[in-house]
Coordinates of all heavy atoms in Angstrom, one line a residue:
L1 N -2.5 4.4 -3.2 CA -1.5 4.0 -4.2 C -0.1 3.7 -3.5 O 0.6 2.8 -3.8 CB -1.3 5.1 -5.2 CG -0.2 4.9 -6.3 CD1 -0.5 3.6 -7.1 CD2 0.0 6.1 -7.2
A2 N 0.2 4.5 -2.4 CA 1.5 4.2 -1.7 C 1.5 2.8 -1.1 O 2.5 2.1 -1.2 CB 1.7 5.3 -0.6
L3 N 0.4 2.5 -0.4 CA 0.2 1.1 0.2 C 0.3 0.1 -0.9 O 1.1 -0.9 -0.8 CB -1.1 1.0 0.9 CG -1.2 1.8 2.2 CD1 -2.7 1.9 2.6 CD2 -0.4 1.2 3.3
E4 N -0.4 0.3 -2.0 CA -0.4 -0.7 -3.1 C 1.0 -0.8 -3.7 O 1.5 -1.9 -4.0 CB -1.3 -0.2 -4.2 CG -1.9 -1.2 -5.2 CD -3.0 -0.6 -6.0 OE1 -3.0 0.6 -6.3 OE2 -3.9 -1.4 -6.3
S5 N 1.7 0.3 -3.9 CA 3.1 0.3 -4.5 C 4.1 -0.4 -3.6 O 5.0 -1.1 -4.0 CB 3.5 1.7 -4.8 OG 2.7 2.3 -5.8
L6 N 3.9 -0.1 -2.3 CA 4.8 -0.7 -1.3 C 4.6 -2.2 -1.2 O 5.6 -3.0 -1.3 CB 4.5 -0.1 0.1 CG 5.3 -0.7 1.3 CD1 6.8 -0.5 1.1 CD2 4.8 -0.1 2.6
G7 N 3.4 -2.7 -1.2 CA 3.1 -4.1 -1.2 C 3.6 -4.8 -2.4 O 4.2 -5.9 -2.4
S8 N 3.4 -4.2 -3.6 CA 3.8 -4.7 -4.8 C 5.4 -4.8 -4.9 O 5.9 -5.8 -5.4 CB 3.3 -3.8 -6.0 OG 3.8 -4.3 -7.2
A9 N 6.1 -3.8 -4.5 CA 7.5 -3.8 -4.5 C 8.1 -4.8 -3.6 O 9.0 -5.5 -3.9 CB 8.1 -2.4 -4.1
L10 N 7.5 -4.9 -2.4 CA 8.0 -5.9 -1.4 C 7.8 -7.3 -2.0 O 8.7 -8.2 -1.8 CB 7.3 -5.8 -0.1 CG 7.6 -4.5 0.7 CD1 6.6 -4.4 1.9 CD2 9.0 -4.6 1.2
E11 N 6.7 -7.5 -2.7 CA 6.4 -8.9 -3.3 C 7.4 -9.1 -4.4 O 8.0 -10.2 -4.5 CB 5.0 -8.9 -3.8 CG 4.6 -10.1 -4.5 CD 4.5 -11.3 -3.6 OE1 4.3 -11.2 -2.4 OE2 4.5 -12.5 -4.1
Q12 N 7.6 -8.1 -5.2 CA 8.6 -8.3 -6.4 C 10.0 -8.6 -5.9 O 10.7 -9.4 -6.5 CB 8.6 -7.0 -7.2 CG 9.3 -7.1 -8.5 CD 9.2 -5.8 -9.3 OE1 8.2 -5.1 -9.3 NE2 10.3 -5.5 -10.1
L13 N 10.3 -8.0 -4.7 CA 11.7 -8.2 -4.2 C 11.8 -9.4 -3.3 O 12.8 -9.8 -2.8 CB 12.1 -7.0 -3.3 CG 12.2 -5.6 -4.1 CD1 12.2 -4.5 -3.1 CD2 13.5 -5.6 -4.9
K14 N 10.6 -10.1 -3.1 CA 10.5 -11.3 -2.3 C 11.0 -11.1 -0.9 O 11.8 -11.9 -0.3 CB 11.3 -12.5 -3.0 CG 10.7 -12.9 -4.3 CD 11.4 -14.1 -5.0 CE 10.7 -14.7 -6.1 NZ 10.0 -13.7 -7.1
V15 N 10.6 -10.0 -0.3 CA 11.0 -9.7 1.1 C 10.2 -10.5 2.1 O 8.9 -10.5 1.9 CB 10.8 -8.2 1.3 CG1 11.1 -7.8 2.8 CG2 11.7 -7.4 0.4
N16 N 10.8 -11.1 3.0 CA 10.1 -11.9 4.0 C 9.3 -10.9 4.9 O 9.8 -9.9 5.3 CB 11.1 -12.6 4.9 CG 10.5 -13.6 5.9 OD1 9.5 -13.3 6.5 ND2 11.0 -14.8 6.0
P17 N 8.0 -11.2 5.1 CA 7.2 -10.2 5.9 C 7.7 -10.0 7.2 O 7.5 -8.9 7.8 CB 5.8 -11.0 5.9 CG 5.8 -11.8 4.7 CD 7.2 -12.2 4.5
S18 N 8.5 -10.9 7.8 CA 9.1 -10.6 9.1 C 10.2 -9.6 9.1 O 10.6 -9.1 10.2 CB 9.6 -12.0 9.7 OG 10.7 -12.5 8.9
N19 N 10.7 -9.3 7.9 CA 11.8 -8.3 7.8 C 11.3 -6.9 7.5 O 12.1 -6.0 7.3 CB 12.7 -8.7 6.6 CG 13.6 -9.9 7.0 OD1 13.8 -10.2 8.2 ND2 14.0 -10.7 6.0
V20 N 10.0 -6.7 7.6 CA 9.4 -5.3 7.4 C 8.4 -5.1 8.5 O 7.7 -6.0 9.0 CB 8.8 -5.1 6.1 CG1 9.8 -5.1 5.0 CG2 7.7 -6.1 5.7
L21 N 8.3 -3.8 8.9 CA 7.3 -3.4 9.9 C 6.6 -2.2 9.2 O 7.2 -1.2 8.9 CB 7.9 -3.0 11.2 CG 7.0 -2.6 12.3 CD1 6.0 -3.7 12.7 CD2 7.8 -2.1 13.5
I22 N 5.3 -2.3 9.0 CA 4.5 -1.3 8.2 C 3.6 -0.6 9.2 O 2.8 -1.2 9.9 CB 3.8 -1.9 7.0 CG1 4.7 -2.6 6.1 CG2 2.9 -0.8 6.3 CD1 4.0 -3.4 5.0
S23 N 3.7 0.8 9.1 CA 2.8 1.6 9.9 C 1.8 2.2 8.9 O 2.2 2.7 7.8 CB 3.5 2.8 10.5 OG 2.7 3.8 11.0
N24 N 0.5 2.0 9.2 CA -0.5 2.6 8.3 C -1.4 3.6 9.1 O -2.0 3.3 10.1 CB -1.5 1.5 7.8 CG -2.4 2.0 6.7 OD1 -2.3 3.2 6.3 ND2 -3.3 1.2 6.3
K25 N -1.3 4.9 8.7 CA -2.1 5.9 9.3 C -3.5 5.9 8.7 O -3.6 6.1 7.5 CB -1.4 7.3 9.1 CG 0.0 7.3 9.7 CD 0.5 8.7 9.8 CE 0.9 9.3 8.5 NZ 2.1 8.8 7.9
L26 N -4.5 5.6 9.5 CA -5.8 5.3 9.0 C -6.8 6.5 9.1 O -6.6 7.3 10.0 CB -6.4 4.1 9.8 CG -5.6 2.9 9.9 CD1 -6.1 1.9 10.9 CD2 -5.5 2.2 8.5
G27 N -7.8 6.5 8.2 CA -8.8 7.6 8.3 C -9.2 8.0 6.9 O -10.2 8.7 6.8
W28 N -8.6 7.5 5.8 CA -9.0 7.8 4.5 C -9.2 6.5 3.7 O -8.3 5.6 3.7 CB -7.9 8.7 3.8 CG -7.9 10.1 4.4 CD1 -7.2 10.5 5.5 CD2 -8.6 11.2 3.9 NE1 -7.5 11.8 5.7 CE2 -8.3 12.3 4.7 CE3 -9.5 11.4 2.8 CZ2 -8.9 13.6 4.5 CZ3 -10.0 12.7 2.6 CH2 -9.7 13.7 3.5
L29 N -10.3 6.4 3.0 CA -10.7 5.2 2.3 C -10.7 5.5 0.8 O -11.3 6.4 0.3 CB -12.1 4.8 2.8 CG -12.6 3.4 2.4 CD1 -11.9 2.3 3.2 CD2 -14.1 3.3 2.5
R30 N -10.1 4.5 0.1 CA -10.1 4.6 -1.4 C -11.5 4.5 -2.0 O -12.2 3.6 -1.6 CB -9.2 3.6 -2.0 CG -9.3 3.5 -3.5 CD -8.5 2.3 -4.1 NE -7.1 2.7 -4.2 CZ -6.2 2.0 -4.9 NH1 -6.5 0.8 -5.5 NH2 -4.9 2.4 -5.0
T31 N -11.9 5.4 -2.9 CA -13.2 5.3 -3.5 C -13.0 5.6 -5.0 O -11.9 6.0 -5.5 CB -14.1 6.4 -3.0 OG1 -13.5 7.7 -3.1 CG2 -14.4 6.1 -1.5
E32 N -14.1 5.5 -5.8 CA -14.0 5.7 -7.2 C -13.7 7.2 -7.5 O -14.2 8.1 -6.8 CB -15.4 5.3 -7.8 CG -15.5 5.5 -9.3 CD -16.9 5.2 -9.8 OE1 -17.7 4.7 -9.0 OE2 -17.1 5.4 -11.0
L33 N -12.9 7.4 -8.5 CA -12.6 8.8 -9.0 C -13.7 9.2 -10.0 O -13.8 8.7 -11.1 CB -11.2 8.8 -9.6 CG -10.7 10.2 -10.1 CD1 -10.6 11.2 -8.9 CD2 -9.4 10.1 -10.8
K34 N -14.5 10.2 -9.6 CA -15.6 10.7 -10.5 C -15.3 12.1 -11.0 O -16.1 12.6 -11.8 CB -16.9 10.7 -9.7 CG -17.3 9.3 -9.2 CD -18.6 9.4 -8.3 CE -19.0 8.0 -7.8 NZ -20.2 8.1 -7.0
T35 N -14.2 12.7 -10.7 CA -13.9 14.0 -11.1 C -12.5 14.0 -11.8 O -11.8 12.9 -11.9 CB -13.8 15.0 -10.0 OG1 -13.0 14.4 -8.9 CG2 -15.2 15.3 -9.4
S36 N -12.1 15.1 -12.4 CA -10.9 15.1 -13.2 C -9.6 14.9 -12.3 O -8.6 14.4 -12.8 CB -10.7 16.4 -14.0 OG -10.8 17.5 -13.1

């Protein structure tokens, strides 16, 4: 959600991609929520 919200906000603000540097710490993959 954080990645999704960040990308959405940057797009809404029309920020030039060259004006941001994004670090993504990898190792967790989004999957379907099957529990509460």
Side-chain angles (χ1 to χ4, degrees):
L1 179 61
L3 290 163
E4 202 169 36
S5 298
L6 176 60
S8 175
L10 291 170
E11 176 69 19
Q12 188 176 330
L13 296 164
K14 296 181 168 41
V15 176
N16 189 316
S18 66
N19 287 334
V20 292
L21 183 61
I22 298 171
S23 167
N24 189 6
K25 300 192 289 284
L26 306 168
W28 289 85
L29 192 75
R30 172 184 279 191
T31 58
E32 183 184 353
L33 182 64
K34 297 178 180 177
T35 49
S36 59

